[in-house]
Amino acid sequence: MDKGELKWLISELNDKNTVIMGYAQMALKCDHPNWTKRYITSIIQQVDKITAVTAIITDLYLSGSDDSGDSDNDNCSKSAALENLIARSANIKFH
């Protein structure tokens, strides 16, 4: 993953945090139980999306980095990890 892709992931996290803040602020001002439930549900969905993006970043950059120096095996394991992450996150809609 290059810096552009990492910047995109970070941008996604920032976008989701902005949405969460907006929904939370609306939920605080809402007196109607159905509206409150709607906003709280949206907040939970956005948190789930942030969790998925964070898991991708963690798996790619923080998991299994033992610095053994075996770059061929490292590249293969990173490719396998990326394939696994793509499969796991296929149902995530970021927009």
Side-chain angles (χ1 to χ4, degrees):
M1 178 176 281
D2 63 15
K3 286 185 181 182
E5 292 169 327
L6 185 56
K7 287 180 182 178
W8 174 81
L9 286 173
I10 291 169
S11 174
E12 286 294 323
L13 289 173
N14 289 334
D15 289 348
K16 300 309 172 205
N17 281 332
T18 300
V19 171
I20 288 170
M21 180 62 73
Y23 281 131
Q25 289 170 346
M26 286 189 284
L28 286 174
K29 295 180 180 184
C30 190
D31 285 339
H32 196 277
N34 289 337
W35 279 65
T36 302
K37 183 178 179 181
R38 176 179 159 205
Y39 290 125
I40 298 299
T41 299
S42 295
I43 290 168
I44 291 168
Q45 290 171 346
Q46 295 300 320
V47 169
D48 288 343
K49 291 176 184 180
I50 289 173
T51 301
V53 173
T54 303
I56 290 170
I57 293 169
T58 301
D59 286 349
L60 286 175
Y61 294 102
L62 302 176
S63 295
S65 58
D66 59 0
D67 296 329
S68 64
D70 190 358
S71 62
D72 288 337
N73 283 341
D74 191 38
N75 287 338
C76 289
S77 65
K78 284 185 179 180
S79 295
L82 184 57
E83 292 289 331
N84 186 10
L85 289 170
I86 291 169
R88 281 182 16 210
S89 62
N91 293 326
I92 299 170
K93 294 180 182 176
F94 288 107
H95 300 285

